[in-house]
Amino acid sequence: MMRSLSIFLFLMCTLLVPQLLDAQEQPSIGKTADTYFRRSEYAKAAGLYEKLLRTRQGRRHAPEIKQRLATAYRLYNQYDKAAYWYAQGLQDSAGNAENRLYYGDMLKSLGRYDEAKQQYHQYPDQQRVAARLAGCDSAAVWMAAPLPFHLKNEGGVNTGRNDWGTAWYGNEVVFVSDSLRG
């Protein structure tokens, strides 16, 4: 009986100790998210930052994490999520002026021109935001009196991904896209 118990304990130690040591070597969620952020892998970083905010450590560093979330979503072209996180960051504290500017930009991109103008008016350098304010006013005028044109999305050419830079190259048309096509 004693021999069986010794064998069992030996096996448990040899099986569990390496797993415990491996678990200790794993980088934290925050460090992994920061690595993704530095490598411009904003979608991966944002997912981890949101996960991190639900932890005790994340709540302790919430202002910095919300800032990173807002920036990651902005650079990942997820304007609605970026606007949400900029708003959260500005509610927690006054934030920096650049956050207010980017929040206004996200609101403007979402067609929320009056809210964008409110953010721009709170920005300290009014000369820098003058064109943005004028853009909000112009967009509101255009939205109120649309032209009688109908735009059709050409499904064979356009994708839901980022397609840009169309140019002639000899007798062919080339463009840059992040979609995977044959």
Side-chain angles (χ1 to χ4, degrees):
M1 174 79 174
M2 194 61 137
R3 180 177 159 96
S4 299
L5 183 60
S6 297
I7 292 172
F8 175 76
L9 288 174
F10 174 76
L11 287 173
M12 292 304 289
C13 287
T14 58
L15 293 174
L16 291 178
V17 169
Q19 289 179 345
L20 292 173
L21 292 175
D22 282 345
Q24 292 176 1
E25 293 177 13
Q26 297 294 320
S28 70
I29 295 171
K31 287 183 180 181
T32 304
D34 289 342
T35 299
Y36 284 136
F37 190 88
R38 281 191 304 276
R39 293 191 320 208
S40 300
E41 296 181 49
Y42 301 117
K44 290 179 182 179
L48 289 176
Y49 284 133
E50 286 199 28
K51 186 176 180 180
L52 181 59
L53 269 181
R54 293 189 290 270
T55 67
R56 187 178 325 165
Q57 178 190 5
R59 286 188 293 275
R60 272 193 307 243
H61 302 286
E64 296 90 2
I65 295 170
K66 289 177 183 179
Q67 161 71 41
R68 285 285 178 108
L69 263 169
T71 303
Y73 279 128
R74 176 176 55 87
L75 296 173
Y76 181 50
N77 299 326
Q78 297 291 316
Y79 301 139
D80 53 340
K81 292 178 181 179
Y84 173 80
W85 287 109
Y86 279 122
Q88 293 298 309
L90 290 171
Q91 282 179 359
D92 289 349
S93 65
N96 64 33
E98 293 303 304
N99 287 347
R100 189 162 303 282
L101 180 68
Y102 289 136
Y103 181 39
D105 290 344
M106 297 304 99
L107 293 170
K108 184 178 173 187
S109 295
L110 294 170
R112 296 162 53 185
Y113 304 114
D114 290 335
E115 294 172 70
K117 285 174 59 174
Q118 290 173 358
Q119 296 305 315
Y120 292 147
H121 282 303
Q122 294 178 50
Y123 188 72
D125 184 0
Q126 286 298 296
Q127 188 173 6
R128 183 172 177 197
V129 295
R132 288 175 164 97
L133 285 163
C136 287
D137 292 335
S138 295
V141 169
W142 296 335
M143 297 298 285
L147 296 174
F149 294 105
H150 176 72
L151 296 178
K152 179 182 173 192
N153 186 6
E154 290 296 330
V157 177
N158 295 325
T159 67
R161 307 298 301 241
N162 293 318
D163 301 325
W164 64 95
T166 304
W168 284 100
Y169 183 74
N171 292 332
E172 297 179 332
V173 175
V174 295
F175 68 100
V176 178
S177 175
D178 66 0
S179 64
L180 297 174
R181 298 182 183 190

